Amino acid sequence: DIKKARPAAGVRRVFLVAGEHSGDRLGGALMRALRAACPDAIRFAGVGGEAMQAEGLASLYPLDDIAVMGPLAILRRLPRLVRRVYETVDAALAHAPDAVVIIDSPEFTHPIARRIRRRAPHIPIIDYVSPSVWAWRPGRAARMRRYVDHVLALLPFEPDVHARLGGPPCTYVGHPLIERRDWIRSRDGKALAMRLGLDSRRPVLALLPGSRPSEVALLMPAFRGALARLEARIGPVSVLLPTVASVRPLVERHLGDWPMRVHVLEGEEDKFAAFRLARAALAASGTVTLELALAGVPMVVAYRVERPAAYLRFLVKAPSIVLANLVLGRNVFPELIQEACNAENLASALGEIMEETPTRKSQEEALAEIDMRLALAHGTPSEAAARVVLSYLGGEAAAGQPSVVR
């Protein structure tokens, strides 16, 4: 009973709140790193999914209660979400934590943080994953200072952004993909090529139309036309399309009238094996651009949204929608958005990186630079995040940890 149990002498309490499954994975790794740094000295409570529960968290309620995406889904569950916010705040205060860690999902976790700060201003609050203040609504950074003591950033440019915008102290702790880099690069592309019967004389193109139905529906027609034009320019290519189970049927319906064969793959193993084979990639904007960068794959990035959302583009302040470009600080990887995302433009950009050209060489050099920019001085991202959290706990749990100015 978290309302009644009291910690043993020297034990520190951490209350964690993840709002979706990606945050749950971050939370699980953070819990593991905290426990490794301070065996038997930290007790956890809060909200999480399978990864955090595997590390010993008894979640207040199922993560699926709150892990919803899109405005319509949020509206349908709004009464439940509001109720869960207040339940979480009450449980956090009853737990009497030495620190609260909110993990991503700012629409859910930030209202919790604000209410905890009002009722218990002495409790440090750490935000693991910075909101995209560099892309839109930059005023959020300064407002966060009222209820967030420290931000743990996944991208190396985010601490400078928070400093410029007047946000909370911010530390780059590394993107979770860094912990998987060696695994990503060790996948066996040759085994996949043999299984699929690929012609070794044909270059391989990885096609990544996104993991949301709207992305797939909007991008696949342009991708089809781009591939036809690309093959007319450089000859036949082998096309590998990694996808996820939730959109695979939609992907396969779109492929029904394509003149070329496309190998549809599912699962992390096959996806990264496909990257090992790929000469280049055509990808929807998203985290996949960092995955491709760590795998060393030159890329063209495409994105389309529904027309009403397109009118809101003026609200986006970022110089690029491509994470790999943002990490570099310059636009090396072509990004073709909305009207520019058409078959002719995509094929032209792909042709420049499928063949040996100065454009391809500049991308290869940039890929090596991204690797260095994402690197940490020592340890893993979860260990770096744990060091910051520990610095806020005080007492024995923080012994030997670097101090953090609040």
Side-chain angles (χ1 to χ4, degrees), residues 70-148:
L72 291 179
I74 290 172
L75 281 174
R76 282 195 296 269
R77 294 201 193 181
L78 190 58
R80 176 185 291 179
L81 291 170
V82 171
R83 185 170 70 251
R84 291 306 196 194
V85 166
Y86 283 97
E87 287 176 5
T88 306
V89 172
D90 289 342
L93 296 176
H95 186 63
D98 295 285
V100 170
V101 180
I102 58 173
I103 309 171
D104 209 356
S105 305
E107 292 81 7
F108 180 72
T109 60
H110 283 221
I112 291 169
R114 287 195 294 269
R115 286 162 175 80
I116 292 174
R117 178 50 47 92
R118 283 199 295 266
R119 293 174 59 182
H122 63 284
I123 298 175
I125 298 175
I126 298 123
D127 188 1
Y128 196 177
V129 183
S130 171
S132 302
V133 294
W134 36 268
W136 67 298
R137 293 171 57 199
R140 288 177 295 171
R143 290 194 293 273
M144 285 170 60
R145 287 191 72 97
R146 303 169 191 167
Y147 57 89
V148 169

Side-chain angles (χ1 to χ4, degrees), residues 19-351:
E20 58 181 316
H21 296 285
S22 59
D24 172 55
R25 291 190 291 272
L26 284 173
L30 174 61
M31 290 170 67
R32 190 162 55 251
L34 286 168
R35 189 179 292 109
C38 299
D40 304 321
I42 297 181
R43 190 170 297 171
F44 300 109
V47 180
E50 291 182 2
M52 293 168 71
Q53 290 171 36
E55 296 301 324
L57 182 78
S59 184
L60 292 170
Y61 43 80
L63 189 59
D64 286 341
D65 275 12
I66 55 173
V68 294
M69 293 184 65
L72 291 179
I74 290 172
L75 281 174
R76 282 195 296 269
R77 294 201 193 181
L78 190 58
R80 176 185 291 179
L81 291 170
V82 171
R83 185 170 70 251
R84 291 306 196 194
V85 166
Y86 283 97
E87 287 176 5
T88 306
V89 172
D90 289 342
L93 296 176
H95 186 63
D98 295 285
V100 170
V101 180
I102 58 173
I103 309 171
D104 209 356
S105 305
E107 292 81 7
F108 180 72
T109 60
H110 283 221
I112 291 169
R114 287 195 294 269
R115 286 162 175 80
I116 292 174
R117 178 50 47 92
R118 283 199 295 266
R119 293 174 59 182
H122 63 284
I123 298 175
I125 298 175
I126 298 123
D127 188 1
Y128 196 177
V129 183
S130 171
S132 302
V133 294
W134 36 268
W136 67 298
R137 293 171 57 199
R140 288 177 295 171
R143 290 194 293 273
M144 285 170 60
R145 287 191 72 97
R146 303 169 191 167
Y147 57 89
V148 169
D149 294 285
H150 210 103
V151 177
L152 307 180
L154 305 190
L155 300 170
F157 60 85
E158 289 178 318
D160 288 342
V161 171
H162 275 277
R164 175 168 52 82
L165 296 175
C170 180
T171 299
Y172 173 58
V173 297
H175 197 283
L177 282 172
I178 294 172
E179 297 191 43
R180 306 183 65 201
R181 178 167 46 197
D182 291 343
W183 182 87
I184 288 170
R185 294 174 178 174
S186 67
R187 296 310 87 199
D188 190 353
K190 292 181 180 179
L192 177 63
M194 290 181 62
R195 194 177 87 219
L196 298 177
L198 300 184
D199 186 340
S200 61
R201 295 167 296 181
R202 295 185 176 189
V204 173
L205 176 70
L207 204 64
L208 299 135
S211 57
R212 298 188 181 112
S214 60
E215 292 174 327
V216 171
L218 289 166
L219 289 177
M220 286 293 278
F223 283 12
R224 180 187 189 276
L227 287 179
R229 286 168 172 78
L230 179 67
E231 289 197 328
R233 173 174 171 172
I234 69 170
V237 300
S238 294
V239 183
L240 307 184
L241 195 159
T243 189
V244 293
S246 59
V247 296
R248 181 168 185 160
L250 178 60
V251 165
E252 291 179 334
R253 283 201 298 275
H254 276 278
L255 291 174
D257 65 347
W258 285 34
M260 70 287 291
R261 183 179 181 185
V262 175
H263 299 274
V264 179
L265 308 171
E266 195 175 314
E268 293 278 277
E269 184 77 35
D270 277 0
K271 178 174 79 171
F272 289 111
F275 289 2
R276 299 299 296 159
L277 291 173
R279 173 77 174 169
L282 173 57
S285 175
T287 304
V288 73
T289 66
L290 284 185
E291 294 177 338
L292 289 164
L294 288 176
V297 184
M299 71 189 91
V300 171
V301 182
Y303 208 66
R304 294 183 70 93
V305 294
E306 298 286 359
R307 191 172 297 276
Y311 292 128
L312 301 177
R313 280 183 289 173
F314 70 92
L315 295 175
V316 178
K317 306 298 183 184
S320 173
I321 63 164
V322 180
L323 287 176
N325 282 338
L326 290 170
V327 169
L328 282 170
R330 61 188 190 278
N331 292 0
V332 174
F333 305 101
E335 48 191 276
L336 299 165
I337 308 168
Q338 286 309 105
E339 298 82 4
C341 179
N342 59 57
E344 186 60 43
N345 289 345
L346 293 173
S348 177
L350 281 172

